[in-house]
Amino acid sequence: MWSTKYKMMNMVQTMMFRMPGYAKCTVNVVKVLNVPERSTPQPRMEVARNTAGNILVFSDKNMKKGTIRIERKFSGDWREVTQVYYDIGGWEELGCEEEVSYTEVFRRVEVEEMV
């Protein structure tokens, strides 16, 4: 069993899953834990990976308007993760009919580098 944890301020999201056995084959995410707990029902999620295993894509099982897709790409030395969060549709009231996305980059920093 694998898990990824995403923290931002007071919010934590943990996705627990089994690593897909083959590239481009999806596997159901076992559990999604949110702290604080969300009051809206959680979508059914699935995960897929590339051949090298350094890219994981989490998405709603039924990709439709208002759903999400999260792509996490790990660097060759596993010290950096680039996460792209896609929100598919659902932004018409703001005048945007396309998908909205944002990118976050996380780098592992050694304690000595911070001093």
Side-chain angles (χ1 to χ4, degrees), residues 4-89:
T4 64
K5 183 181 281 188
Y6 177 75
K7 291 181 174 182
M8 179 184 276
M9 295 183 159
N10 296 328
M11 185 273 299
V12 179
Q13 182 180 60
T14 304
M15 288 188 233
M16 297 168 51
F17 62 98
R18 290 183 176 79
M19 185 64 71
Y22 302 98
K24 300 180 184 176
C25 292
T26 59
V27 174
N28 291 336
V29 170
V30 175
K31 193 168 199 165
V32 178
L33 303 170
N34 290 293
V35 177
E37 203 171 287
R38 291 185 177 178
S39 59
T40 56
Q42 288 297 294
R44 304 273 308 160
M45 301 283 288
E46 60 188 11
V47 62
R49 68 170 178 88
N50 67 342
T51 304
N54 66 328
I55 299 176
L56 296 173
V57 178
F58 297 89
S59 59
D60 289 343
K61 278 191 92 150
N62 300 313
M63 291 300 289
K64 58 186 177 196
K65 191 172 167 180
T67 59
I68 62 167
R69 183 167 53 100
I70 302 167
E71 180 179 304
R72 293 184 177 142
K73 182 178 183 178
F74 297 86
S75 64
D77 62 2
W78 297 90
R79 296 179 60 81
E80 182 175 293
V81 178
T82 301
Q83 173 174 283
V84 183
Y85 185 97
Y86 299 92
D87 194 341
I88 314 300

Side-chain angles (χ1 to χ4, degrees), residues 93-105:
E93 65 273 4
L94 298 176
C96 182
E97 297 182 15
E98 301 173 9
E99 73 179 26
V100 174
S101 66
Y102 65 86
T103 303
E104 298 173 294
V105 179

